Amino acid sequence: MPTSSRFARGPASPLTLRAAAVALAGLAGATGLAACGDADAGGSGGRTEVVASFYPVAWLAGRIGGGDVSVRTLTKPGAEPHDLELTARQVADVGKADYAVYVKGVQPAVDEAVEKHAKSKSLDAASVVKTLPPPTGGEEEEHEGDHEHADTNYDPHIWLDPSRMATIATALGDRLAKADAPHAAGYRDRAKAVATELSALDRQYRDGLKTCKRNTIVTAHAAFGYLAERYGLRQVPIAGVDPTSEPSPKRIAELSGQIKTAGATTVFTETLVSPKVAQTLAKEVGVKTAVLDPVEGVAEGSSDDYLTIMRKNLETLRPALECS
């Protein structure tokens, strides 16, 4: 990201020097996270190099690592992460990194690369939280050969529960502190701050969804099981774990009946995948559509981050569920 600045002539005061140091440290942290999406980026500049599988864990690594890490993600900005294929260079980057963070079950290629090249220096975020059974309601059982990530015995979409993300933040802070002992205090302090922010987000969701006339969310794919479980909602997914799977006419008919029975007002589309099926279903039943973001990726240049996207999701859910 090109930047420009003007420096005043003459000696700088200690206060000015301290302010400059803080600014540079912040820029270093931002640059590390900005490297997400380019696993072929340049060197880490002496910082701890962290490879992240896709956006939610890359966001955590950038916030917790700050200026002490260089974060690279294996999934390009704006790309749908579920069917990621790694290049030979990316596989090598997994092995060369000081640490890797991922969610096992989302991206089979990443799971394999970590297992072979970074097992002893990685955090599977799903291993530190209570997981839920695989989501039901999609049709992936009819397409077993197309959905390798359905082999896991749990729902991998853990990041859509802020309370679980807070637990992961604490665990990642501890792991990075052990991997880079000279900066241990910074990792743990930043992890605590991030966990506090996520706990506050959790409270916003609990308060915002406490009193609603409806509790059914019809989603583009089965990504919102943890959010539904945490806040007393019921998820009805059009597709299963894989958002690109096409529902059959039979499934569409089933969904139409479920929407009418539940009195749902909205079919939720999402970012990164085509909204056509959801829009067709909504039109057929006579309800609205709205975007509910599974936070699986953020478009390049976007000013949004995990926290702002999740807050927008809450603002989208409340009117759809007629919450007071």
Side-chain angles (χ1 to χ4, degrees):
M1 180 183 300
T3 61
S4 63
S5 59
R6 295 180 180 178
F7 296 94
R9 296 184 181 274
S13 69
L15 180 61
T16 302
L17 292 173
R18 285 197 297 272
V22 170
L24 288 172
L27 180 60
T31 302
L33 187 55
C36 293
D38 184 6
D40 300 328
S44 61
R47 291 170 288 165
T48 295
E49 187 172 347
V50 178
V51 167
S53 56
F54 69 128
Y55 177 74
V57 289
W59 176 79
L60 274 181
R63 289 291 308 275
I64 294 167
D68 296 323
V69 302
S70 172
V71 181
R72 300 180 182 184
T73 185
L74 299 170
T75 307
K76 292 182 178 180
E80 210 295 312
H82 283 79
D83 298 314
L84 174 71
E85 296 293 336
L86 298 181
T87 65
R89 174 66 181 274
Q90 287 177 310
V91 173
D93 284 338
V94 171
K96 288 189 299 182
D98 297 303
Y99 209 77
V101 57
Y102 70 117
V103 180
K104 188 174 182 180
V106 177
Q107 298 163 300
V110 176
D111 298 348
E112 182 179 355
V114 171
E115 178 70 22
K116 288 183 177 180
H117 305 289
K119 190 174 183 179
S120 64
K121 54 177 183 177
S122 62
L123 173 64
D124 166 19
S127 69
V128 299
V129 296
K130 180 181 177 181
T131 56
L132 297 176
T136 58
E139 294 184 302
E140 290 179 0
E141 67 275 7
E142 298 178 13
H143 309 282
E144 292 179 359
D146 298 332
H147 309 293
E148 296 176 35
H149 52 290
D151 291 343
T152 55
N153 61 357
Y154 57 84
D155 181 349
H157 297 85
I158 52 176
W159 62 92
L160 284 160
D161 172 8
S163 68
R164 283 177 169 87
M165 278 287 272
T167 300
I168 297 165
T170 300
L172 182 58
D174 288 340
R175 298 292 184 89
L176 290 176
K178 292 175 183 177
D180 181 18
H183 301 107
Y187 293 128
R188 290 195 169 103
D189 287 346
R190 288 187 292 267
K192 183 177 180 180
V194 173
T196 298
E197 288 183 283
L198 290 164
S199 295
L201 177 64
D202 176 50
R203 287 193 299 273
Q204 290 173 0
Y205 264 81
R206 282 190 282 116
D207 292 342
L209 300 176
K210 184 184 299 182
T211 309
C212 304
K213 290 184 179 180
R214 309 179 191 283
N215 70 348
T216 299
I217 53 172
V218 183
T219 61
H221 85 289
F224 294 90
Y226 289 92
L227 185 145
E229 185 258 356
R230 177 68 177 169
Y231 306 112
L233 305 178
R234 172 175 170 259
Q235 175 184 230
V236 175
I238 297 173
V241 173
D242 189 330
T244 62
S245 60
E246 289 281 342
S248 66
K250 178 183 176 182
R251 176 62 180 159
I252 291 293
E254 290 174 351
L255 288 165
S256 297
Q258 290 177 337
I259 291 170
K260 292 174 182 176
T261 299
T265 65
T266 308
V267 172
F268 293 106
T269 63
E270 64 181 56
T271 55
L272 306 184
V273 296
S274 172
K276 288 182 179 179
V277 174
Q279 289 171 341
T280 299
L281 175 62
K283 185 176 181 181
E284 180 178 308
V285 184
V287 299
K288 300 178 294 184
T289 61
V291 176
L292 196 62
D293 194 329
V295 205
E296 294 179 347
V298 176
E300 191 167 10
S302 172
S303 61
D304 280 324
D305 69 357
Y306 175 87
L307 294 172
T308 61
I309 293 170
M310 287 294 286
R311 291 187 187 110
K312 288 179 180 179
N313 281 345
L314 177 58
E315 293 171 1
T316 300
L317 285 168
R318 281 178 48 78
L321 298 177
E322 298 184 37
C323 303
S324 59

